[in-house]
Amino acid sequence: MGYKKTKECLDALEAKGDLLRIDQEIDPNIEAGVIQRRVFQTGGPALLFTNVKGCKFPMAANIFGTKERLNFIFRDTIETVERLMKLKMYPMEAIKRPWKYLGAPRTAYHTMPRKLSEGPVTANETTIAELPQLKSWPMDGGAFVTLPQVYSESPENPGFAGSNIGMYRVQLSGNEYNNTEVGLHYQIHRGIGHHHAQALKKGEKLKVNIVVGGAPSMTIAAVMPLPEGLAEIFFAGSLGGHRIPMVMRPNGLPVPAEADFCICGTISNEQKPEGPFGDHIGYYSLTHDFPVLKVDKVYHRNDAIWPFTTVGRPPQEDTMFGDFIHELTSELVPSVFTGVHEVHAVDVAGVHPLLLAVGSERYVPYAEERQPQELLTNGMALLGNTQTALAKYLFIGAKEDMQHGENCHNIPVFFKHMLERANLKRDLHFITRTTIDTLDYSGMGFNEGSKLIFAAAGSKKRELSKELPELPTLPDGFSEAKVFGPGIMLIKGRKSETARGNGDPQMERLGEALKHAKGIEGFPMIVVVDDPDFTAKNWENFIWVTFTRSDPATDIYGAGAFTKAKHWGAEKAIIIDARMKSYQAPPLEPDPEVEKRVDALAASGGPLYGVI
């Protein structure tokens, strides 16, 4: 049950006709990443590059690139894992329907790793320079590991129960790194941070293993948002359908025996510049100081294959991880967040910039008019726990108002529902000068910005307009107003020159001008953008532009804006400044020459003919 190593999984995909071997020489510098992204976009097969320029190791990509492929890889275990998760929410299910949980004890048995004295992964040693040097985007600062399983253990509670596996990118080359050290980019709110803090407190270096390949379940475990205290290595065994074999190294951390590669080393308080890196929000993350891992050993097995992915503006292969995790965990949401029925971390926004949710509003059931009260409690819980704490914009509506099948995964319907019901004078709640996602450059500084809870409950407050009202003469620098969707207007703004953390007086003048426009109340959301045509092309563009390029506290203005008792509101409409700012990171752009090379591979007779 379950695949134990990369080659075993790839062989099964190839036998199924869902893997493409590419024997032509492929450059890991940009070209391999372009191929992977373009094959993913077409829903194409997994890829095996057997002839990697400048490297003796083959590389594999797009392994997790479709929902169907993920379900195939974990076909023996996924149903049992889903049932076990359901038991957490409904423990009486096992008594009522015991036949559905017959495999549960065996799955629980698989959670415990199996200790070994040696294994395939430690058969050979190599160096950092001999590993595949994958560079995904033109401005990347060097080569990166993009599907790492970063393993650490708590210095205060060593062992599997106190372990953490996370997917934190690793820079292999470039900047100031040499062949005996790599950059470890772990962001805020990550499990390894607790271990690192404990080690520093004890005056010790933290031992870290960077694992590549092995059981596919280990890769999924590395991105799984598990509750605090539940080790990812246990989940990997249950999803993988076998006890994960671990080589117990003297004076070192255990290494997954069936892994393809493992970089073993330590981190202390030393930091070096890491990045830039083309990231999953669709922009580069810039160069910042991050911990340096001093490398002790680099192991690899005899038949080692280097799995990789590349990220960029979503959807990408990592989108499939999110969808898979949602299917496994969606029914657990009410047990983690009391009163919350569903959540949707919006992938096309880059996940953390926009979170949609449906909660209960039961605090005053006898009131004539429902208003957000319990919803605000729900919202604070979402912004204070687990990975949802990294959300920047949270739109949360009341389940009691959704009588016609509305849900937060149907984005156009959900936005219409929210904009019809929000009281703009009352229902916007800002959290300022707080932590935000490390990859989000819209805020006050690195890891710092604001959040907004946009709550809506009760009856409809307005009819949303679908046609532009008669607008007054707009202030200098604003033009080309157009309707995007019901109640949503776009306005073209000139290039923003505002400094970080400062408001734009021109935006305030725009709010004053629109305050008196007849019919403007039919457009409760107005968004100022650089390119209205691009933004209006589809919902994906609108969501990406609006919520990745704005900080709530800095970039939300109002038609009839006011502040009363430190509460901000707007009489007629909110106006979001979603223009690119001078301090924001640049968006990802392809390399035209490499794109042409990949086009040639898709010509008749080429390895990608008929695939892209």
Side-chain angles (χ1 to χ4, degrees), residues 206-383:
L206 180 68
K207 297 173 182 177
V208 176
N209 286 347
I210 299 166
V211 179
V212 180
S217 64
M218 289 285 285
T219 298
I220 300 297
V223 296
M224 192 74 185
L226 296 175
E228 190 76 27
L230 178 58
E232 289 81 4
I233 191 73
F234 299 154
F235 176 81
S238 64
L239 183 62
H242 64 277
R243 298 173 66 191
I244 302 297
M246 302 290 285
V247 178
M248 308 305 292
R249 300 165 57 240
N251 302 314
L253 292 177
V255 178
E258 297 290 352
D260 290 83
F261 299 86
C262 186
I263 303 169
C264 305
T266 57
I267 57 175
S268 59
N269 58 358
E270 181 183 356
Q271 304 167 54
K272 283 190 176 182
E274 187 270 355
F277 178 75
D279 232 314
H280 71 267
I281 295 182
Y283 306 87
Y284 285 95
S285 55
L286 303 179
T287 303
H288 301 281
D289 287 348
F290 277 93
V292 176
L293 183 132
K294 299 293 186 180
V295 177
D296 299 323
K297 296 281 187 180
V298 183
Y299 294 113
H300 73 88
R301 62 184 301 143
N302 287 328
D303 54 354
I305 300 170
W306 184 269
F308 77 92
T309 190
T310 62
V311 293
R313 182 187 162 187
Q316 299 289 347
E317 186 179 6
D318 58 335
T319 299
M320 297 298 102
F321 290 149
D323 291 348
F324 186 73
I325 290 168
H326 172 73
E327 289 188 7
L328 286 175
T329 63
S330 59
E331 290 196 52
L332 291 179
V333 168
S335 69
V336 178
F337 302 104
T338 301
V340 178
H341 298 275
E342 59 175 321
V343 296
H344 180 192
V346 181
D347 180 71
V348 295
V351 180
H352 295 313
L354 178 61
L355 179 66
L356 310 180
V358 176
S360 296
E361 188 49 72
R362 305 163 297 188
Y363 276 5
V364 192
Y366 48 82
E368 288 187 15
E369 174 65 20
R370 197 163 25 246
Q371 69 181 59
Q373 293 176 308
E374 186 178 1
L375 288 182
L376 300 183
T377 303
N378 297 160
M380 293 297 183
L382 286 165
L383 295 182

Side-chain angles (χ1 to χ4, degrees), residues 66-226:
T66 68
K67 178 181 177 180
E68 293 73 21
R69 195 148 54 243
L70 271 163
N71 287 337
F72 173 78
I73 292 171
F74 301 111
R75 63 193 180 278
D76 294 332
T77 59
I78 188 169
E79 287 188 8
T80 304
V81 171
E82 286 177 338
R83 288 171 190 157
L84 279 176
M85 290 195 163
K86 191 173 182 179
L87 273 180
K88 175 178 170 61
M89 186 175 177
Y90 306 113
M92 291 301 292
E93 275 286 301
I95 298 174
K96 294 178 180 178
R97 299 174 180 85
W99 61 88
K100 295 181 69 175
Y101 300 93
L102 294 177
R106 184 168 181 81
T107 300
Y109 170 73
H110 290 152
T111 63
M112 296 307 299
R114 184 161 54 94
K115 297 180 180 180
L116 304 176
S117 58
E118 59 182 16
V121 67
T122 55
N124 308 283
E125 292 189 28
T126 186
T127 65
I128 295 297
E130 292 179 323
L131 297 175
Q133 301 293 302
L134 176 75
K135 185 178 177 183
S136 304
W137 292 94
M139 289 172 54
D140 282 2
F144 287 84
V145 186
T146 57
L147 278 180
Q149 307 149 30
V150 181
Y151 181 92
S152 60
E153 292 182 357
S154 165
E156 296 177 359
N157 181 31
F160 296 129
S163 69
N164 178 78
I165 304 174
M167 191 169 287
Y168 321 123
R169 74 171 186 250
V170 176
Q171 185 167 353
L172 298 177
S173 64
N175 298 347
E176 301 173 14
Y177 301 116
N178 56 49
N179 200 32
T180 62
E181 60 187 21
V182 298
L184 182 57
H185 177 112
Y186 73 79
Q187 302 159 36
I188 61 171
H189 205 71
R190 298 297 189 266
I192 192 176
H194 303 308
H195 294 174
H196 198 182
Q198 291 172 10
L200 293 176
K201 183 178 179 180
K202 293 166 70 76
E204 300 173 354
K205 295 179 179 179
L206 180 68
K207 297 173 182 177
V208 176
N209 286 347
I210 299 166
V211 179
V212 180
S217 64
M218 289 285 285
T219 298
I220 300 297
V223 296
M224 192 74 185
L226 296 175

Side-chain angles (χ1 to χ4, degrees), residues 21-36 47-55 57 59 132-134 308 594 597-598 601 607-608:
R21 285 178 178 263
I22 299 179
D23 297 323
Q24 184 170 331
E25 184 181 74
I26 298 297
D27 195 338
N29 182 18
I30 310 297
E31 185 178 28
V34 171
I35 294 171
Q36 181 269 322
L47 302 168
L48 180 61
F49 301 98
T50 62
N51 186 3
V52 179
K53 183 177 180 179
C55 182
F57 299 110
M59 300 173 70
Q133 301 293 302
L134 176 75
F308 77 92
V594 178
R597 293 209 311 265
V598 175
L601 297 175
L608 295 176

